[in-house]
Amino acid sequence: VALLGLGAGLISLSVGAFAGAIAAFAVVVLLARASGSPGGTSQIILAGIAGSQLFNALTAFLITQSASSEQARGIMFWLLGNLSGVRWPSVWLAVPVAVAGLVVCLWHRRALDAFTFGADSAASLGIPVRQVQFLLISCAALVTAVMVSIVGSIGFVGLVIPHAVRLLLGTRHARLLPASALGGALFLIAADVLSRTLIKGQVVPVGVITALVGAPVFALILIG
């Protein structure tokens, strides 16, 4: 957000977003470890909530202190997600990063299958758990950082689509990963079309559409 307010370019935004993602991950890990049960699911979730609130507060502070009213409006629109400002140079950056991230995940598909049964089970199968986790988390942070720097924060795509695809195709990551990528792309395109046509003469931030659709769908998945 600070870089956006300063008018940073696409590469600078991507680097800044990646640094922010790593910082957020470090905060979550430190909080989870401080709880005394770093591997516990509830501790990780609570640490994630605490980290999210911390960075939300920092974002709000930067917006109120560093941005003009016009900059603040642009930043808030970007934070809600927006595809209308994407140009071909952004596409040339996003596509290879997304493809590389997918290839890395597919390369470790068997490890991801093993992680389904827990880290201990994966370790018993000879998988270097910590190394693979670090690599995949770093890869996810890099891909997410690049995408967020281009289109802003668009929620529920990565939360809803993989769960929905898993219900249809099962848990084998050889099928789940490419299907989730395709399903997420189609969902985002549909949300973008809806955001441009829902209100005549106005563009609703696409993140609002994905949240309005994704939140109830995710709730249904959890209940089901």
Side-chain angles (χ1 to χ4, degrees):
V1 171
L3 290 172
L4 185 64
L6 294 173
L10 180 60
I11 300 298
S12 298
L13 281 175
S14 299
V15 173
F18 179 66
I22 295 299
F25 172 67
V27 168
V28 171
V29 170
L30 290 174
L31 289 175
R33 286 186 175 180
S35 70
S37 180
T41 302
S42 59
Q43 283 76 12
I44 293 175
I45 292 174
L46 291 174
I49 293 173
S52 174
Q53 293 301 314
L54 171 63
F55 284 100
N56 284 339
L58 291 174
T59 298
F61 176 77
L62 288 173
I63 291 174
T64 56
Q65 296 297 318
S66 304
S68 65
S69 58
E70 187 64 26
Q71 284 178 324
R73 184 178 182 278
I75 291 172
M76 290 303 298
F77 198 77
W78 175 78
L79 287 173
L80 291 172
N82 176 29
L83 299 182
S84 61
V86 176
R87 299 294 182 265
W88 282 112
S90 301
V91 176
W92 301 136
L93 174 63
V95 170
V97 171
V99 171
L102 181 60
V103 169
V104 170
C105 291
L106 284 172
W107 183 265
H108 293 88
R109 60 189 181 278
R110 291 186 176 85
L112 289 169
D113 288 339
F115 285 144
T116 304
F117 302 99
D120 292 337
S121 298
S124 68
L125 295 173
I127 295 173
V129 173
R130 291 189 179 276
Q131 293 91 324
V132 173
Q133 285 180 334
F134 178 79
L135 174 63
L136 292 177
I137 290 173
S138 299
C139 179
L142 176 60
V143 174
T144 302
V146 171
M147 301 309 161
V148 169
S149 69
I150 295 173
V151 300
S153 179
I154 301 176
F156 286 96
V157 179
L159 191 61
V160 172
I161 300 302
H163 283 83
V165 173
R166 184 180 288 110
L167 293 176
L168 296 174
L169 300 180
T171 59
R172 295 294 297 273
H173 285 81
R175 293 178 297 179
L176 182 61
L177 289 168
S180 295
L182 178 60
L186 294 175
F187 175 60
L188 189 57
I189 291 172
D192 183 53
V193 171
L194 185 59
S195 72
R196 297 170 188 266
T197 57
L198 186 62
I199 301 177
K200 186 177 181 180
Q202 296 185 26
V203 177
V204 179
V206 70
V208 174
I209 303 298
T210 59
L212 289 174
V213 175
V217 171
F218 187 64
L220 290 174
I221 292 174
L222 289 178
I223 294 172

